[in-house]
Amino acid sequence: MARYLLTRAWQSALTLLLSTIVVFVGVRALPGDPALALAGEDRSPEALEAIRRHYGLDQPLPVQFAQYVERVAQGDFGVSIRTGTPVSSMLTTALPVTVELSVLAIAIASLLGVGAGVLAAVRRGRPAEWFANALALIGLSVPHFWLGLLAILYLSVATGLFPASGFVPLLEDPVDNLHHIVLPAVILGTGLAAIIMRQTRSAMLDSLSSDYVRTAKAKGLRPRAVVTRHALRNSLIVVVTVVGLQLGGLISGAVVTEQIFGLPGFGKMTIDAVFQRDYPVIQAVVLLTATAYIVINFFVDLLYSVIDPRIRVTGNPA
Amino acid sequence: MTTAPASTATTVLEMRDLSVSFPTETGTVSAVDGAALDLAAGEIVGMVGESGCGKSVTGMSIAGLLPGSARVTGSVRLNGTELVGARESALRRVRGREIAYIFQEPMTSLNPVLTVGRQIGEVLQVHERMSRRAAHARAVELLTLVGIPSATHRVGAYPHQLSGGMRQRVMIAMAVACGPKVLVADEPTTALDVTVQAGILQVLRDLRDRLGTSILIITHDLGVIADIADRVVVMYAGRVVERAPVTDLFARPYHHYTAGLLSASPKPGRHASTARLAEIPGLVPVLSTQPDACTFADRCPAADARCRESAPPLEVAGDGTDHLAACWHPCPPQPREANR
Ligand SMILES: Nc1ncnc2c1ncn2[C@@H]1O[C@H](COP(=O)(O)OP(=O)(O)OP(=O)(O)O)[C@@H](O)[C@H]1O
Ligand SMILES: [Mg+2]
């Protein structure tokens, strides 16, 4: 286990370093001079030069990078070029929104997806299965920005059931907070729910026809116990894998969803930063996303061994 | 159909005229056709026959474990209570408590993500309303009973942490947890090597002696039959073709199929043997066509026109009343010597 953790930590550090380099270089390769964007009205060469010096943009790239890494290691992500606020304080307001949105979306998607998947497998060849399959097809094929727009149109604008945009922090007013975030979370979760449903269904069909399910029936267990304790527990490993693999998609989906519902989260912050060539913000966002990705995947791997005792984490790649 | 009077001991399980068919895309497959057998208290009955002849389907149909697509007719009575067509809730009370099963592959038949203690305890929780803790304690006793060393330690193991023989012992512990009246063991030793096999058969024998459980043991292996069974049922293409006490059958087979099976068989004894069914020329008939004829006719050395026109009933053969065979032209005595 210790060896596994060590290998894992080393791999993670390397991944983080690589993604930092890629973004650092990539951001600077974008067309457009940030100094120009910052200069505003006064575009005299002297003014631009002063700006470059102020932000360290006149240094060679490796030097800029070294300075950046040093500062980040101390928790200093720099100052937003656009607003002048420290990036770290922007993150503390934006991050909770996105984390809440994603966690809620994953929870809703898992609940709906696993529920519908189990139902489709148990009620094979009956209307319930067709219904679940049709829903999954819709969830997979309809882009969620469009679903989001429809939801706003019908559930917010026409009926006023949900607010069309805006956000209230969780700690300020939990009820109002949920009211604002449930609809975006459902929309963000639809695609994931559909994928989870399909995977759950096929995994359940496999385990329902397995020998150990036959044994469970032969023991005289109730159908509910056979399905949940025996078949579903063995299918969950698939669900966890799918959720793990879909996280990247979920993060990019969150960016779009936040934009549509006007949620002041990470995604909105990223898009604004990209349009404004706000280097420090973009860099911080990517670094954090990569970190989140690595941490979550680590937990997914640990979860495997909790669900399936045959999988024991070792230092060797399986 | 003539049926033998149940032997002196009380009959626990009574199967009469059991037929099972499966609708498939290419037509209806008849897997079992009019099977009949009795299990007396504390009796071990062996069931032999080639692969695909319907042994497992017969075994599974006893407690209604076949998939929903199966069409089952006939009668299976457990102490007089009809099980064919019984309500699912009634069958659930029977399964695991009065009729228990052991399957061939102990690896895949155990749930990989639950400890063996949990899997054994589950039966007790559902049928005896035991608490989880009490069931766990009982699981340790059961593991000891089936000969698993350091049971207190093993009760927390997952199936993949145990050897094949130990897994099968776990299956047996699970099956006998509620002291069932009938144990259906579908090829319990086929996946195991010979020494382990002997140990498992010993455990089954002990259980019969200690708990008085009646055991139906399904196998390809005549050695297993010779080793453990009191009586034998021979199946061919979905039909019971011969039924007899084990010594009678080995001494004097009446059906030509049985004779073919025995031509490379061991004598009844106390030792497990690896002898397998001898190759009999010809193909096993397609089960979707159940002709009004002896199903073995095409492969039988003694078949004539009558065999192809009408199916012989299972009737008392020879002098004993409990030796039955379904054959128009039973084998002459000592067929094996006659062949040489
Ligand atoms: N669910 C099913 N659907 C259709 N046909 C089936 C089904 N289950 C069994 N059969 C058919 O029933 C016949 C008998 O099968 P069964 O499993 O009882 O054979 P068996 O004697 O146990 O063979 P083996 O020694 O290989 O275990 C086979 O021809 C099989 O194809
Ligand atoms: Mg079988």
Side-chain angles (χ1 to χ4, degrees):
Chain A
M1 188 66 190
R3 184 169 158 216
Y4 171 75
L5 289 178
L6 211 70
T7 323
R8 214 38 211 257
W10 159 239
Q11 285 169 348
S12 307
L14 200 69
T15 316
L16 272 184
L17 184 69
L18 282 178
S19 46
T20 315
I21 293 177
V22 167
V23 173
F24 193 83
V25 174
V27 164
R28 278 156 184 79
L30 284 176
D33 184 341
L36 264 185
L38 287 167
E41 296 298 297
D42 183 7
R43 298 195 164 187
S44 64
E46 296 78 40
L48 292 180
E49 198 49 45
I51 289 169
R52 290 202 180 94
R53 205 172 316 116
H54 180 247
Y55 287 103
L57 297 171
D58 55 343
Q59 305 279 338
L61 266 190
V63 176
Q64 286 187 40
F65 185 71
Q67 289 170 345
Y68 175 68
V69 170
E70 197 186 327
R71 282 196 308 267
V72 166
Q74 295 160 0
D76 173 11
F77 292 94
V79 172
S80 164
I81 293 182
R82 191 168 57 93
T83 61
T85 39
V87 176
S88 46
S89 78
M90 291 171 74
L91 288 174
T92 36
T93 52
L95 214 51
V97 182
T98 307
V99 169
E100 194 190 342
L101 177 67
S102 314
V103 168
L104 207 60
I106 292 179
I108 292 173
S110 305
L111 227 62
L112 283 180
V114 170
V118 169
L119 201 74
V122 173
R123 298 245 180 283
R124 189 163 194 205
R126 284 190 255 165
E129 190 197 7
W130 307 329
F131 187 66
N133 278 341
L135 273 188
L137 200 66
I138 293 173
L140 277 180
S141 47
V142 178
H144 46 280
F145 71 84
W146 192 67
L147 269 186
L149 292 178
L150 279 188
I152 290 178
L153 203 62
Y154 288 105
L155 298 178
S156 306
V157 179
T159 57
L161 285 176
F162 293 95
S165 75
F167 181 74
V168 176
L170 181 63
L171 294 178
E172 213 167 89
D173 184 347
V175 177
D176 208 15
N177 164 277
L178 269 184
H179 195 204
H180 276 87
I181 211 158
V182 153
L183 196 56
V186 169
I187 298 296
L188 176 58
T190 46
L192 187 61
I195 294 169
I196 291 178
M197 179 264 162
R198 296 193 148 197
Q199 297 291 337
T200 306
R201 178 181 162 273
S202 69
M204 280 296 287
L205 285 178
D206 276 356
S207 32
L208 282 175
S209 62
S210 69
D211 288 353
Y212 55 80
V213 161
R214 178 181 64 180
T215 307
K217 285 182 192 154
K219 285 197 262 187
L221 301 187
R222 285 169 196 291
R224 179 187 293 256
V226 174
V227 167
T228 55
R229 203 179 306 146
H230 290 269
L232 184 58
R233 279 226 32 191
N234 278 278
S235 307
L236 277 186
I237 195 93
V238 177
V239 178
V240 171
T241 308
V242 173
V243 173
L245 285 175
Q246 294 299 322
L247 279 176
L250 196 81
I251 291 173
S252 55
V255 172
V256 177
T257 311
E258 284 176 8
Q259 201 68 14
I260 294 174
F261 287 90
L263 295 175
F266 209 59
K268 196 162 164 3
M269 185 177 144
T270 310
I271 289 186
D272 291 347
V274 169
F275 282 128
Q276 305 282 335
R277 280 183 228 314
D278 203 341
Y279 292 172
V281 177
I282 298 177
Q283 279 164 186
V285 161
V286 173
L287 199 62
L288 253 133
T289 312
T291 312
Y293 207 72
I294 288 165
V295 169
I296 292 170
N297 270 307
F298 176 65
F299 278 110
V300 167
D301 285 358
L302 285 185
L303 205 57
Y304 277 161
S305 55
V306 173
I307 295 178
D308 192 336
R310 284 168 300 180
I311 301 172
R312 282 278 168 256
V313 288
T314 55
N316 311 319
Chain B
M1 174 174 302
T2 313
T3 45
S7 39
T8 46
T10 48
T11 305
V12 175
L13 190 90
E14 200 179 77
M15 178 187 288
R16 290 290 174 272
D17 201 22
L18 182 89
S19 297
V20 181
S21 59
F22 296 95
T24 64
E25 282 111 61
T26 53
T28 302
V29 172
S30 161
V32 179
D33 185 16
L37 66 87
D38 289 311
L39 270 177
E43 185 184 37
I44 300 182
V45 170
M47 183 183 269
V48 271
E50 278 166 312
S51 192
C53 71
K55 305 183 297 292
S56 295
V57 170
T58 306
M60 302 277 271
S61 65
I62 291 175
L65 282 178
L66 291 171
S69 64
R71 283 204 291 265
V72 185
T73 59
S75 162
V76 175
R77 284 171 185 271
L78 178 75
N79 289 325
T81 310
E82 181 60 56
L83 298 181
V84 172
R87 291 234 307 264
E88 192 63 15
S89 56
L91 287 173
R92 268 208 305 276
R93 279 193 295 275
V94 168
R95 291 177 195 146
R97 192 170 65 165
E98 307 203 59
I99 302 178
Y101 282 82
I102 304 170
F103 299 107
Q104 174 175 349
E105 272 292 339
M107 180 74 240
T108 56
S109 296
L110 288 169
N111 190 329
V113 303
L114 298 177
T115 63
V116 298
R118 185 81 209 283
Q119 296 186 59
I120 297 170
E122 222 175 20
V123 202
L124 297 160
Q125 282 174 266
V126 65
H127 291 303
E128 320 251 294
R129 308 223 162 271
M130 276 193 193
S131 70
R132 198 151 156 181
R133 183 182 297 249
H136 187 85
R138 179 82 183 112
V140 176
E141 294 170 23
L142 286 162
L143 287 177
T144 315
L145 180 78
V146 297
I148 289 192
S150 53
T152 35
H153 175 65
R154 291 270 161 58
V155 74
Y158 290 94
H160 73 277
Q161 293 166 327
L162 303 176
S163 69
M166 269 204 245
R167 280 182 216 134
Q168 197 58 294
R169 283 169 196 261
V170 169
M171 281 295 284
I172 296 175
M174 205 156 80
V176 301
C178 300
K181 298 193 181 70
V182 174
L183 183 64
V184 179
D186 192 346
E187 316 211 20
T189 59
T190 308
L192 307 171
D193 60 46
V194 184
T195 45
V196 182
Q197 188 173 336
I200 296 292
L201 293 181
Q202 190 53 48
V203 172
L204 290 178
R205 236 188 325 259
D206 283 351
L207 286 172
R208 187 268 304 267
D209 295 344
R210 208 177 307 191
L211 307 173
T213 311
S214 312
I215 302 177
L216 177 65
I217 185 165
I218 297 172
T219 180
H220 286 99
D221 192 335
L222 283 167
V224 169
I225 297 285
D227 189 8
I228 196 171
D230 302 316
R231 288 194 303 128
V232 196
V233 172
V234 181
M235 282 191 78
Y236 182 79
R239 292 180 187 167
V240 173
V241 294
E242 190 157 2
R243 217 168 87 183
V246 68
T247 39
D248 290 7
L249 187 100
F250 278 83
R252 170 75 210 272
Y254 282 87
H255 199 282
H256 294 270
Y257 174 65
T258 313
L261 284 186
L262 292 178
S263 62
S265 80
K267 292 275 183 296
R270 305 300 287 172
H271 297 284
S273 149
T274 51
R276 290 279 166 150
L277 302 188
E279 272 300 317
I280 300 173
L283 292 170
V284 182
V286 183
L287 293 176
S288 50
T289 59
Q290 284 292 345
D292 195 14
C294 175
T295 43
F296 191 58
D298 288 343
R299 296 167 77 184
C300 185
D304 63 8
R306 188 185 185 193
C307 302
R308 293 175 220 283
E309 277 157 19
S310 60
L314 191 65
E315 281 176 336
V316 173
D319 358 296
T321 51
D322 50 358
H323 194 151
L324 289 83
C327 186
W328 292 129
H329 311 290
C331 297
Q334 297 165 320
R336 277 175 285 168
E337 265 72 15
N339 283 348
R340 282 188 191 139

